[in-house]
Amino acid sequence: MVVIPGSELLAATLNVVSQSLQIPVIIFLLIFAIFAVFAFGGLISDYKTRVRLTRNYKEELIFSLVNAEGVSELKNIIKGSKIYDSQKEVLLKIADSHSLSDESREAWALNLIEEEEEVVMAKSLEKVDIVTRIGPTLGLMGTLIPMGPGLAALGSGDVTTLANAIIVAFDTTVVGIGSGAVAYVISKIRRRWYEEYSSNLQLFVNAVLENLKN
């Protein structure tokens, strides 16, 4: 029986672990690539249906909310506005809290805004941010893992195995970086949209709160 030194045993174990990751890495890269394609399609769809509010319209809406006479008129203005339905829902909930004190109403409004930002922004961007960060990393892993056996095969004159390893390495690199790049672009665009969404919501909420104080 041949006794393997400790360092060689560790190296052999490390090699087994490294090679066993190749298939999971490729599977995740394929999932990321499919996700990036669907996410980009969703971005285009949202762009077509996106609500665009001009500065003049926002100014008119804010003054209308502040100067509305009574909760009933306030709610009618909210329902007839061009803002997102999710924003209308938040404003209507605040309008229905007219019986609360000013402090309680402001706390309730703040809670509604935070929940809306968490639902609309955090959850929507979470998966895209994961692909942005993990995609290139998996691409690098997919590059390095097959190169070990490929270089070992080159030492024994097996050029075919090396060529196959290089093909896998290049493919995983392209898919990983490509998925991460697409997800990064989607994340930047959506984050800008959501910041505008949140800013507008804050303006409208303040206008409703101002009205209810009168």
Side-chain angles (χ1 to χ4, degrees), residues 17-45:
V17 173
S18 174
Q19 295 305 311
S20 65
L21 292 175
Q22 181 171 351
I23 293 179
V25 166
I26 293 176
I27 292 175
F28 275 108
L29 284 173
L30 290 175
I31 294 174
F32 283 5
I34 295 172
F35 172 82
V37 171
F38 279 97
F40 189 74
L43 181 72
I44 296 176
S45 177

Side-chain angles (χ1 to χ4, degrees), residues 137-187:
T137 301
L138 291 179
L140 178 60
M141 291 177 63
T143 301
L144 297 177
I145 291 174
M147 291 305 296
L151 294 175
L154 179 62
S156 59
D158 187 357
V159 181
T160 302
T161 301
L162 175 61
N164 292 332
I166 292 176
I167 291 174
V168 173
F170 280 136
D171 289 344
T172 53
T173 301
V174 171
V175 172
I177 295 177
S179 300
V182 172
Y184 176 78
V185 172
I186 295 172
S187 176

Side-chain angles (χ1 to χ4, degrees), residues 93-94 97-112 209 212-213:
K93 287 182 179 179
I94 297 174
S97 66
H98 56 88
S99 59
L100 299 176
S101 64
D102 292 343
E103 293 77 9
S104 297
R105 191 184 307 114
E106 289 178 1
W108 172 236
L110 179 61
N111 181 262
L112 289 174
L209 291 175
L212 296 176
K213 286 181 180 180

Side-chain angles (χ1 to χ4, degrees), residues 50 58 87 117 120-121 125 187-203:
R50 180 167 167 256
K58 287 189 288 185
Q87 292 177 325
E117 289 178 348
V120 175
M121 296 180 61
L125 292 174
S187 176
K188 293 291 288 185
I189 295 175
R190 285 197 177 278
R191 203 174 298 276
R192 179 171 56 82
W193 289 354
Y194 294 150
E195 287 175 356
E196 180 182 351
Y197 176 95
S198 179
S199 176
N200 289 339
L201 179 60
Q202 184 68 57
L203 286 174

